[in-house]
Amino acid sequence: MNNLKKLGKLSATIGKSIFRLLVFTIVIIAFVMQLEKNRNISLSGRVGVIIGTIVAIFLFYFILRALFRPIYNLDNNIQLRLTNQFTVQQYKSKWIMSLICSVIISLLFIIPSFGISVLLMLPQFILLYKSKDI
């Protein structure tokens, strides 16, 4: 049980770190690309581009957050199940959602990172495997 808790903390830390790094990278890249692309546009056009970029970043942030939340909340769900605050059915639905999101995140970054995301998500998959029958 202690091993499961350590693995859960590791998985949550990796998930939160990847999420924060990804959001930070997207913000920087989006603003640099928009400013470089639109140097010859008038001031009102630049304001529109910047507002559009900010809206797109927020939308992307909420989509990523929806994907990452089941991943780094699995540890909390395991603890809730172990203290009988979750029924088996509630836990299974959270577990399946975490599995689906983990697979999506692993596949999203597999092409540009040559599989590094699969290695980073390995603790999550081990945690999913070990916590399957709680």
Side-chain angles (χ1 to χ4, degrees):
M1 211 49 70
N2 193 19
N3 191 22
L4 197 61
K5 190 170 185 137
K6 288 179 184 177
L7 193 56
K9 295 285 183 196
L10 177 66
S11 179
T13 302
I14 289 173
K16 288 177 183 177
S17 300
I18 293 172
F19 173 71
R20 289 178 184 139
L21 179 67
L22 191 61
V23 168
F24 179 73
T25 304
I26 296 291
V27 168
I28 298 299
I29 289 173
F31 275 113
V32 168
M33 285 179 63
Q34 290 303 325
L35 292 175
E36 282 295 318
K37 224 189 270 186
N38 301 308
R39 284 189 178 195
N40 299 329
I41 296 178
S42 66
L43 182 61
S44 62
R46 284 187 187 178
V47 170
V49 166
I50 290 173
I51 290 173
T53 302
I54 291 171
V55 169
I57 288 170
F58 275 111
L59 287 174
F60 193 70
Y61 170 80
F62 287 115
I63 290 169
L64 279 178
R65 191 170 142 194
L67 275 175
F68 274 95
R69 180 173 278 158
I71 293 172
Y72 59 74
N73 275 345
L74 182 62
D75 184 46
N76 294 335
N77 295 336
I78 291 170
Q79 300 309 316
L80 290 173
R81 177 64 192 128
L82 291 174
T83 58
N84 291 326
Q85 295 176 358
F86 267 175
T87 64
V88 174
Q89 186 60 32
Q90 287 173 319
Y91 177 74
K92 286 295 180 186
S93 67
K94 299 280 185 180
W95 186 90
I96 289 171
M97 189 61 163
S98 182
L99 176 66
I100 291 168
C101 290
S102 298
V103 169
I104 290 171
I105 292 298
S106 293
L107 294 178
L108 276 179
F109 304 118
I110 202 166
I111 295 168
S113 65
F114 302 108
I116 292 173
S117 62
V118 174
L119 292 176
L120 290 174
M121 294 299 290
L122 197 57
Q124 174 69 15
F125 288 119
I126 294 170
L127 181 65
L128 282 164
Y129 176 75
K130 289 187 175 191
S131 66
K132 181 179 175 185
D133 298 321
I134 289 181

